[in-house]
Amino acid sequence: MNPRWQKLLLEYLEALAVALVLAFVIRTFVVQAFKIPSGSMLDTLLIGDHLLVNKFLYGTHIPFTDKVVLPLEEPKAGDVIVFEFPEDTSKDFIKRIIGVPGDVVEMKDKAVFRNGEKLTEPYIKHTDPGIQSRRDNFGPITVPEGKYFVMGDNRDESYDSRFWGFVDKEKIRGKAWIIYWSWDGPADIRWNRIGRMVN
């Protein structure tokens, strides 16, 4: 091979290797893209929303372990988080934190109470006027140390902590940050949602 072409090829391979390492580092420690596949967070997040998740805010996960180091802040009530689904860790779920460690959470006829106070939740949606026992009335329960109680904003159609329990802190992947793309199929791009912060 011509030495000039060989040098050019090596430069391209080096640039590609650096780009791949940077992409791995950014995806592992800084930010990761997720797509919303279900309606459990309507109308905060729509099916077809693509969002970036801040992975370093709650601390950096050491690859291939559940260990977290250098947290900037603790997850708090109201945060929308992405986490490993406890019943199938190959899946990621997205929900809103309702209770943090030590909180007492209760639900009475669809109204949520934390530590005895009814929550003001302008983001929630109800699609079923009826009352179901486990879905709309439960507790009170105390959130254990190192765990979080989460619920979807679309309360009547969310499979969440009411049914399967708590989220371990080590299983939280990050905090939902910004919608970078949104569509309801190739012909229906939701331009007004692109760039929205998730809160």
Side-chain angles (χ1 to χ4, degrees):
M1 180 184 276
N2 183 320
R4 186 171 150 236
W5 286 106
Q6 190 174 9
K7 182 180 177 189
L8 188 62
L9 179 62
L10 285 173
E11 286 176 3
Y12 276 117
L13 288 174
E14 183 179 304
L16 179 62
V18 169
L20 289 172
V21 168
L22 283 174
F24 173 78
V25 168
I26 289 170
R27 185 179 187 276
T28 302
F29 299 112
V30 182
V31 71
Q32 187 173 347
F34 288 89
K35 178 185 173 188
I36 303 302
S38 74
S40 72
M41 285 295 291
L42 292 172
D43 288 326
T44 304
L45 296 169
L46 306 181
I47 298 170
D49 280 351
H50 293 67
L51 53 104
L52 296 176
V53 171
N54 183 329
K55 297 187 76 172
F56 67 87
L57 189 64
Y58 301 143
T60 301
H61 280 80
I62 297 173
F64 312 113
T65 73
D66 285 337
K67 297 207 182 289
V68 177
V69 295
L70 303 173
L72 299 179
E73 66 179 54
E74 292 295 314
K76 60 186 180 300
D79 287 356
V80 177
I81 61 168
V82 172
F83 56 93
E84 289 180 20
F85 178 40
E87 293 184 342
D88 181 355
T89 56
S90 69
K91 295 179 181 176
D92 292 322
F93 266 30
I94 184 165
K95 305 289 180 192
R96 188 179 299 274
I97 295 176
I98 300 301
V100 301
D103 281 344
V104 177
V105 179
E106 185 174 11
M107 196 167 190
K108 301 175 188 174
D109 296 338
K110 297 184 186 281
V112 178
F113 296 78
R114 183 173 55 237
N115 302 323
E117 293 187 20
K118 183 179 177 182
L119 300 185
T120 301
E121 300 182 288
Y123 43 77
I124 64 168
K125 174 178 185 165
H126 288 287
T127 56
D128 178 8
I131 299 292
Q132 295 181 18
S133 58
R134 188 170 181 84
R135 184 191 71 184
D136 301 323
N137 290 287
F138 69 85
I141 55 170
T142 302
V143 182
E145 193 61 37
K147 298 184 183 291
Y148 295 83
F149 188 92
V150 299
M151 296 173 74
D153 289 354
N154 187 5
R155 290 289 158 80
D156 298 338
E157 299 183 33
S158 175
Y159 188 53
D160 51 39
S161 287
R162 293 172 288 179
F163 304 98
W164 44 257
F166 304 102
V167 175
D168 290 339
K169 183 177 181 182
E170 293 77 22
K171 302 300 183 183
I172 297 175
R173 293 198 180 272
K175 181 179 179 180
W177 176 33
I178 191 170
I179 297 169
Y180 71 88
W181 182 251
S182 182
W183 66 354
D184 191 18
D188 190 10
I189 299 170
R190 304 182 190 114
W191 296 104
N192 64 324
R193 294 187 63 77
I194 296 173
R196 273 194 195 181
M197 305 299 286
V198 179
N199 49 43

